[in-house]
Amino acid sequence: SGRRAADLLPGRDLWWDDAVAGDHDVPCEPVDAEHPLFVLYTAGATGKPKGVLHTTGGYCAGLLATMQAVFAAEPGGDVLFTYADPGWITGQSYTNYAPLLTGLATVLYEGVPDHPKPDRFWRIIARHRVSLFKIGAPGLRLAMRYGADWPRRFDLSSLRVVCSCAE
C-alpha cells in the first residue's frame, strides 16, 4: 500500500488512512457549564507560571457571542484566518475553538509571516479567500513595519472583517 516501515504500537498507533476510513459519527458528550474545558498557563505579572482554568459553558458562550457580534460569522460562507499563537488565549480561542463552535472553515498556518518574503499574510488571504482575519498586536506591528506595498500586490477583496486584539 506504499506505507513505510514505522514502529507502531498496536492498540495505540494507527495509520492516518485507516483512522479516517469509514463512518466516524461521534456523539457529543453532554457536560455541565462549569466542566473544565482547558487550562492555559500564563506567567502574568509575577513571572511564575500559573494555570488559568477555562470552563466549558462560560468560555464557549462568550466566544460564540463574540463571533456573532464582532465578526458576524457566517458558517458555510466565511473563512477565518487567525494569526495568533495558540499558547495565548486569543490564539487558542480563534484558531481552535471559534471554528468548532461556529462551523467556520479556518486556515491553519505555522511559521513566520515574513519568510521567505513579507507577503505571507496577504498570499494566504488571497489564495484561500479569507473573509475574517484576526491578528494579534505583534503580527499587526510586523505588517505595518513592511508597509502597504506588500498587501497591495494581492486581491484582498474577500476580506470582510479584520480584527486586532491584545495589548
Side-chain angles (χ1 to χ4, degrees), residues 112-120:
V112 295
D114 59 350
H115 180 77
K117 296 184 286 189
D119 66 351
R120 298 297 291 166

Side-chain angles (χ1 to χ4, degrees), residues 10-113:
R12 183 195 74 180
D13 301 331
L14 297 171
W15 290 101
W16 173 254
D17 54 345
D18 291 341
V20 298
D23 185 19
H24 294 285
D25 184 19
V26 180
C28 293
E29 180 69 28
V31 296
D32 292 329
E34 293 301 311
H35 183 82
L37 184 62
F38 65 92
V39 176
L40 191 61
Y41 283 85
T42 178
T46 65
K48 295 179 183 177
K50 54 188 161 286
V52 178
L53 174 66
H54 294 274
T55 59
T56 303
Y59 176 80
C60 290
L63 186 55
L64 186 57
T66 300
M67 290 305 296
Q68 291 171 342
V70 175
F71 288 94
E74 299 172 10
D78 280 322
V79 176
L80 174 65
F81 173 33
T82 302
Y83 185 75
D85 187 324
W88 292 76
I89 191 65
T90 191
Q92 187 71 231
S93 298
Y94 296 97
T95 300
N96 300 334
Y97 289 97
L100 291 171
L101 287 168
T102 58
L104 290 176
T106 187
V107 176
L108 296 177
Y109 171 73
E110 180 180 20
V112 295

